[in-house]
Amino acid sequence: SAVISQKPSRDICQRGTSLTIQCQVDSQVTMMFWYRQQPGQSLTLIATANQGSEATYESGFVIDKFPISRPNLTFSTLTVSNMSPEDSSIYLCSTRIGIEAFFGQGTRLTVV
Amino acid sequence: LAKTTQPISMDSYEGQEVNITCSHNNIATNDYITWYQQFPSQGPRFIIQGYKTKVTNEVASLFIPADRKSSTLSLPRVSLSDTAVYYCLVGAPMGGATNKLIFGTGTLLAVQP
């Protein structure tokens, strides 16, 4: 199994600023995934992060808005840049070991 | 990735058996079916996975008919703590570490006392 520590758990940010979310995994993993979940909605994949290469973004998400770092096999960050109220959401990181996926507790972001 | 269709919500009472069905008409030969559970303010949690027929673990059973175009998650004797959103996912062999997960709408199960 894997335990993912994600922080911050929540934040309230001013529009136009940026927030960096961190995820630490208790074991080395090949891929990490970043999701967004808006209130009452399902999870939407933002991007896939592989150590040593640029992240792969899903349709509708761009690197300038959501830059991702993956400096080693246990850590990743997602930055939400130039935030607007529409970015208010829960952001989750995830990884997979074997047949299971594991998720962080999520970061509840409110942009005012 | 195959698209899935599930009921948006279901209601049940404590002690009842709950069956949540998921349709995946375009499932590919190599696709597996996996169910996840999500409580409020938490990330999704793996429940069960299967390829065909029936799979059972300590939490649930998964029934998959021969044509694999649907699957049913069965939760025996639910309790209030089973109130959550249940997601059905279909995708290529889940043993690969590169496979991303695409979530559908999920089913909100509300268990009443």
Side-chain angles (χ1 to χ4, degrees):
Chain A
S1 67
V3 176
I4 302 179
S5 301
Q6 182 174 345
K7 61 181 182 182
S9 58
R10 60 177 61 229
D11 206 342
I12 300 173
C13 300
Q14 297 289 325
R15 67 179 65 199
T17 64
S18 298
L19 175 72
T20 295
I21 302 168
Q22 301 179 5
C23 276
Q24 179 76 50
V25 188
D26 68 347
S27 58
Q28 293 185 340
V29 294
T30 304
M31 306 293 273
M32 292 187 71
F33 308 92
W34 287 94
Y35 290 87
R36 180 173 72 184
Q37 186 172 31
Q38 295 180 313
Q41 303 294 314
S42 181
L43 287 76
T44 300
L45 182 64
I46 297 172
T48 300
N50 192 9
Q51 194 267 335
S53 63
E54 280 200 2
T56 301
Y57 289 81
E58 298 297 308
S59 176
F61 298 97
V62 294
I63 187 171
D64 290 346
K65 177 67 175 177
F66 299 100
I68 289 172
S69 76
R70 186 80 207 280
N72 57 54
L73 291 174
T74 64
F75 189 78
S76 180
T77 68
L78 170 77
T79 299
V80 186
S81 303
N82 188 24
M83 288 184 285
S84 66
E86 291 71 36
D87 295 319
S88 297
S89 189
I90 297 173
Y91 293 84
L92 299 109
C93 60
S94 172
T95 191
R96 297 198 48 216
I97 295 179
I99 64 172
E100 289 190 40
F102 300 88
F103 291 82
Q105 289 291 79
T107 297
R108 183 179 295 272
L109 171 62
T110 302
V111 183
V112 297
Chain B
L1 297 176
K3 181 178 178 179
T4 60
T5 303
Q6 345 174 194
I8 296 297
S9 64
M10 294 182 67
D11 294 321
S12 182
Y13 292 93
E14 283 192 292
Q16 288 187 333
E17 177 184 77
V18 171
N19 296 308
I20 306 174
T21 298
C22 178
S23 297
H24 27 81
N25 292 319
N26 297 323
I27 190 168
T29 302
N30 292 335
D31 286 343
Y32 281 69
I33 301 152
T34 310
W35 287 79
Y36 285 80
Q37 174 191 57
Q38 186 180 27
F39 297 113
S41 301
Q42 294 186 23
R45 180 176 73 102
F46 173 92
I47 301 177
I48 197 167
Q49 182 188 66
Y51 184 80
K52 62 181 179 180
T53 65
K54 176 183 176 182
V55 179
T56 298
N57 62 21
E58 66 277 7
V59 177
S61 293
L62 178 60
F63 299 91
I64 305 169
D67 67 4
R68 304 201 324 121
K69 293 183 182 299
S70 66
S71 59
T72 299
L73 175 72
S74 181
L75 304 172
R77 296 183 299 280
V78 295
S79 65
L80 296 177
S81 62
D82 292 316
T83 293
V85 178
Y86 292 84
Y87 292 98
C88 163
L89 283 81
V90 174
M94 292 294 208
T98 59
N99 285 320
K100 58 188 178 184
L101 296 180
I102 304 298
F103 284 78
T105 59
T107 298
L108 174 59
L109 173 64
V111 180
Q112 310 289 341

